[in-house]
Amino acid sequence: MTPRCRPRGWITADLLLTLSLALSACDAAAVNNPYAGRAVPTPVTVSGSRQYARVSAGFFHSCAVTAGGEGWCWGSNEYLQVGVASTPSRCEQVSCSRTPLRVAGSLMLVDIAAGVTSTCALTTVGRAYCWGGGYPGVGSQLGDSAIVSSATPVRVKTDSTFAQITVGGSHSCALTAGGTALCWGGNQFGQLGNGSVTSSATPIVVSGTLRFASISASSTTTCAVALSGIGYCWGSNRWGQMGVGDVPYNSLGLAEQRPREISGDLRWAQIAAGFEHTCGVTTSGTALCWGLNENAGQLGNGTSVSHRGVPGPVAGGRSYDGITAGAVATCAHTPGNELYCWGSNYFGGLGNGQTQALGVNQPVKNIGGSFRGGEAARHHSAGLGSSHGCAIKTDGSVSCWGDAFYGQTGDR
């Protein structure tokens, strides 16, 4: 299997540019990095002296929830994803903020999830709110039935209360306290999991009787861990990112509209869906990845294989207790409160103090210090975007690294 370039479907020109650069524009000989000036390869502390409980990295923005329940976002606001009523400053012709802005309203939050063009959050009573979605044709991802974008939080239209939430490309999903999964938004690949490819402007229940402990949405795929520890995925399987068996690359997009069990008879502590790859940590602490690899090396297995359709071990043999996946990179947390990352490092997105035109196909240590772990490592204590990442340190501050073109590192 050899690397190749391919179209990105619904991805905008701006997103395509960043992904293409992160993949070295499919040119393995490109050893110079003319974009290094926009990179922050060594983790920096986000501005302000707040203590944070949750953090999430979207494609070009980042968001976090303080220990007191306040929501804060920073970075690009091109799609209204920062959640403020007034227009922030501008970064390179795009509305943005290089420092955290308080999300509009007086909502008390317990969780937050940043996606490509939208952000969603949960309140202390389990209500879901979303904002953003300013890209034409994907406004339905807010779940409020209006199918329009919003610069400030709007209530997701459902009577359900939730314990977890995740945001992908044009869809979002959430879990009730009992483990029922509901999804809303775009559904062109079956990523809502209800047996159809019809989009929904309000939450719909994922097919079947499965109950889940955690859930993760990518651009067009959704994966979740059942209460039994078995992993399931649904949606796009173009590069084998569902992990249900080796598949040839399919430019039209292989897809599953209902949950399918991940191969390997494994029991998972967490699964994290990236752009077109997926990684997970088993209950025994082993990290495995599957899906797209190409030049970026986001599977972390030390090879240049283009893709794989079943879980394979990450190189290095370390034990991990949490994992997060971005567009073309992955980071995992060790019981010793260290982060190890692999994949694209074009903009310093691995946090190891370097920028590299070629992907790093095995774990390297993030040099940001000591990061919060344990149960927190599996619930938005770290996140990766298109080419940047953020994580909560053991002292409660947030550090970010990587591409800072739109202020997504929040330190300026």
Side-chain angles (χ1 to χ4, degrees):
M1 292 180 281
T2 57
R4 71 194 80 193
C5 296
R6 70 275 180 205
R8 293 288 179 177
W10 61 271
I11 293 293
T12 68
D14 195 24
L15 303 182
L16 178 58
L17 171 63
T18 300
L19 286 169
S20 297
L21 291 172
L23 285 165
S24 301
C26 296
D27 180 6
V31 295
N32 295 317
N33 184 353
Y35 293 89
R38 64 190 262 182
V40 179
T42 299
V44 293
T45 302
V46 171
S47 297
S49 56
R50 305 172 194 92
Q51 295 285 297
Y52 291 99
R54 297 286 189 272
V55 69
S56 181
F59 256 56
F60 298 128
H61 75 295
S62 307
C63 293
V65 173
T66 68
E70 297 174 350
W72 293 78
C73 294
W74 56 95
S76 172
N77 198 41
E78 182 178 5
Y79 306 109
L80 311 177
Q81 65 265 47
V82 171
V84 294
S86 60
T87 303
S89 59
R90 300 187 71 80
C91 306
E92 308 300 334
Q93 306 305 310
V94 173
S95 174
C96 81
S97 178
R98 296 191 179 278
T99 56
L101 296 175
R102 176 78 184 272
V103 174
S106 57
L107 297 173
M108 296 299 293
L109 306 178
V110 294
D111 200 8
I112 200 162
V116 176
T117 64
S118 66
T119 307
C120 293
L122 297 181
T123 67
T124 53
V125 294
R127 299 298 185 186
Y129 286 78
C130 297
W131 56 92
Y135 182 66
V138 297
S140 61
Q141 65 192 284
L142 302 186
D144 65 338
S145 79
I147 318 183
V148 294
S149 58
S150 177
T152 58
V154 294
R155 170 87 177 271
V156 175
K157 192 173 183 179
T158 177
D159 292 330
S160 297
T161 57
F162 299 108
Q164 293 182 40
I165 197 162
T166 181
V167 180
S170 62
H171 79 292
S172 302
C173 298
L175 294 182
T176 68
T180 299
L182 291 88
C183 298
W184 59 93
N187 196 32
Q188 64 271 46
F189 292 96
Q191 61 264 43
L192 301 189
N194 69 327
S196 80
V197 291
T198 302
S199 297
S200 178
T202 56
I204 53 178
V205 178
V206 172
S207 294
T209 59
L210 291 168
R211 295 295 178 264
F212 299 101
S214 62
I215 193 165
S216 178
S218 75
S219 57
T220 52
T221 308
T222 309
C223 294
V225 178
L227 296 179
S228 63
I230 297 174
Y232 293 86
C233 292
W234 54 94
S236 174
N237 196 35
R238 182 166 63 163
W239 291 98
Q241 62 262 44
M242 283 181 52
V244 297
D246 278 316
V247 297
Y249 165 74
N250 187 315
S251 61
L252 297 177
L254 297 170
E256 296 285 346
Q257 299 167 14
R258 294 180 175 86
R260 281 194 57 187
E261 183 177 339
I262 295 170
S263 300
D265 193 28
L266 300 163
R267 295 297 180 270
W268 300 96
Q270 184 187 7
I271 294 174
F275 180 60
E276 290 182 311
H277 78 289
T278 309
C279 294
V281 171
T282 67
T283 53
S284 63
T286 300
L288 301 100
C289 295
W290 55 97
L292 180 64
N293 192 51
E294 286 200 334
N295 296 326
Q298 59 264 51
L299 300 189
N301 60 7
T303 76
S304 58
V305 63
S306 67
H307 67 285
R308 61 175 297 144
V310 294
V314 171
R318 295 179 185 86
S319 180
Y320 298 101
D321 59 11
I323 198 162
T324 183
V328 280
T330 313
C331 289
H333 185 276
T334 72
N337 291 331
E338 296 176 329
L339 276 182
Y340 282 84
C341 304
W342 56 93
S344 172
N345 206 29
Y346 204 84
F347 299 102
L350 304 186
N352 67 334
Q354 302 177 19
T355 59
Q356 294 156 284
L358 299 179
V360 179
N361 62 13
Q362 53 190 317
V364 294
K365 186 178 179 180
N366 185 299
I367 60 175
S370 182
F371 295 97
R372 186 174 294 172
E375 183 67 17
R378 295 190 288 275
H379 295 292
H380 286 158
S381 66
L384 294 179
S386 63
S387 299
H388 80 287
C390 296
I392 301 176
K393 301 186 70 172
T394 52
D395 65 3
S397 64
V398 166
S399 286
C400 296
W401 59 90
D403 188 5
F405 197 60
Y406 298 109
Q408 55 265 57
T409 53
D411 64 315
R412 308 178 185 192

